[in-house]
Amino acid sequence: MPPPPSTPPTIRVASVPAAHPYVEHLADPDADDGIVRLPDPAPDVTDPLPGQWWPPPVLEPTWIGAQQRTFDLVHLHFGFDAASPDHLRQWTAELRAAGKPLVFTVHDLVNPHFAAAAGHLAELDVLVPAADALITLTPGAAAEIADRWGRAATVVPHPHVVPLDRSAASTGPSSTYVIGVSAKNLRANIDPLPVLAALVPLLAELPDVILRVDVHREVMSPGRIDDRACAFRGWAAKHAGHSRIEVVPHDRYTDDELFDHLAALDLSVLPYRFGTHSGWLEACVDLGTAAVVPDVGHYRDQHGHPAFRFPGTGGSGGVELADLVRAVHAGTANARPARPDRRRQRAVIAAAHRDLYRSVVRGPSG
């Protein structure tokens, strides 16, 4: 009588970071896939403030050596911005010495938080060649990785952002059509003023449209004196009397507040001058909120949203923003792609990660 099939051993994954919605949604919601994602180690600081970002301890070469018996592989996502290329070389060398594979999901080919691309590219020049396996979110990003580094990346789509038990927003009839543009905290890749300059003239020809502009409260503070914040406050002051322009300062949204905000929009316009992928866009898909994306990075590759030529960049992959918004408003352009079956997609995403983890832990010889 043949022996019963053996159960593959559990794989312990040190994720960087673990406490992130993307990482938390990589597991199968309905089955045990044999993967244990370890919690983030506590930062080596006294009385860390709740919610404050600290450099991930897993990225310390000394942590790898000290903790190598507690994990089977490292899966890097985010959080390496503060690490120099030399530091990352030491870290990847420590992983190799410990015999621990590195899986790297290339979320960002350019860092949305920095105007200069050289630093992030130098980090990628260390991490991409050193990784035992690469993942990215879209075919376009995988092609770019192959062109730059000669490495093949497995394409695994972004999982849902909004909880599975929250249904898509109702799209009942309304007398208004709300277009949302979020300036957030004016991080480096967010450039709302050219987008707003293209949208404001539409208000004269589309009388049901309300333009809602969200911005973090810090940007509106006179204490923030950088040129971009001053320019935004000047734009807001200039349009303060417009009956159909709403500038809404707020503290950073909680997840639930963000989902409520997006669900209340008819159309979200992403004002990103550069970037690669967007969790914001995934939340729009989850909630059934229409969205249009700039013709940069690989945003349109995520779900096939229509793209606009970012004002002033000379892009060639989209149409003029005003023309695209007119078409979406009229219903002649579809800015609301069908939402995938997110629960089933989660299972597929989990299986892809499980199989890749097993392959790198087992090694090429099997």
Side-chain angles (χ1 to χ4, degrees):
M1 181 175 180
S6 60
T7 301
T10 296
I11 296 177
R12 302 164 299 171
V13 180
S15 302
V16 186
H20 188 283
Y22 177 94
V23 179
E24 292 164 355
H25 292 169
L26 296 181
D28 191 322
D30 300 312
D32 179 2
D33 55 9
I35 306 301
V36 173
R37 291 179 173 84
L38 304 173
D40 291 314
D44 187 18
V45 295
T46 303
D47 297 327
L49 298 174
Q52 182 170 343
W53 184 87
W54 300 95
V58 177
L59 287 179
E60 289 300 324
T62 53
W63 189 93
I64 299 299
Q67 300 295 326
Q68 59 183 289
R69 294 182 181 275
T70 67
F71 68 96
D72 299 305
L73 65 86
V74 170
H75 191 162
L76 177 60
H77 293 273
F78 314 105
F80 55 89
D81 300 4
S84 69
D86 282 345
H87 181 103
L88 293 173
R89 273 187 282 270
Q90 295 172 26
W91 180 68
T92 55
E94 193 67 31
L95 281 171
R96 285 194 297 273
K100 301 298 182 179
L102 171 63
V103 176
F104 178 34
T105 294
V106 186
H107 292 266
D108 298 312
L109 287 159
V110 292
N111 192 316
H113 299 282
F114 298 100
H120 185 70
L121 183 56
E123 293 162 346
L124 294 183
D125 281 341
V126 175
L127 293 169
V128 171
D132 295 274
L134 298 170
I135 295 172
T136 194
L137 311 182
T138 56
E144 193 170 339
I145 291 166
D147 286 345
R148 284 189 181 183
W149 292 283
R151 295 287 315 266
T154 300
V155 177
V156 182
H158 198 301
H160 65 98
V161 172
V162 178
L164 289 172
D165 59 1
R166 176 163 179 166
S167 59
S170 172
T171 55
S174 173
S175 60
T176 60
Y177 186 94
V178 182
I179 298 176
V181 177
S182 181
K184 299 185 183 179
N185 65 345
L186 291 181
R187 76 183 185 198
N189 78 326
I190 293 180
D191 194 7
L193 295 187
V195 167
L196 294 171
L199 294 176
V200 168
L202 291 176
L203 299 177
E205 60 182 273
L206 302 175
D208 63 331
V209 167
I210 292 173
L211 180 58
R212 173 170 169 148
V213 186
D214 278 64
V215 62
H216 287 189
R217 206 179 304 278
E218 65 178 82
V219 175
M220 302 303 289
S221 168
R224 182 163 165 181
I225 59 173
D226 59 280
D227 290 345
R228 299 179 71 227
C230 291
F232 183 87
R233 291 198 298 271
W235 181 90
K238 177 182 176 182
H239 295 88
H242 199 297
S243 62
R244 289 190 287 125
I245 296 177
E246 300 175 356
V247 177
V248 184
H250 59 84
D251 296 325
R252 180 175 177 173
Y253 285 138
T254 66
D255 287 348
D256 284 339
E257 288 170 342
L258 172 61
F259 303 152
D260 288 343
H261 162 68
L262 290 176
L265 301 179
D266 293 286
L267 174 65
S268 180
V269 179
L270 278 61
Y272 301 161
R273 184 174 286 272
F274 59 88
T276 310
H277 301 115
S278 170
W280 184 280
L281 188 59
E282 296 292 336
C284 287
V285 171
D286 289 337
L287 295 165
T289 299
V292 295
V293 301
D295 63 342
V296 297
H298 301 286
Y299 300 122
R300 70 188 309 173
D301 218 6
Q302 288 180 241
H303 290 277
H305 283 85
F308 60 88
R309 188 176 301 119
F310 198 96
T313 63
S316 59
V319 300
E320 296 296 337
L321 176 56
D323 292 338
L324 180 54
V325 171
R326 286 188 192 96
V328 172
H329 179 268
T332 59
N334 178 26
R336 191 178 286 110
R339 176 184 177 177
D341 181 338
R342 291 296 208 182
R343 182 172 292 275
R344 181 179 180 280
Q345 186 188 51
R346 271 276 294 274
V348 172
I349 289 170
H353 281 77
R354 178 201 62 214
D355 293 347
L356 188 145
Y357 292 160
R358 287 178 180 170
S359 72
V360 298
V361 168
R362 188 168 54 236
S365 64

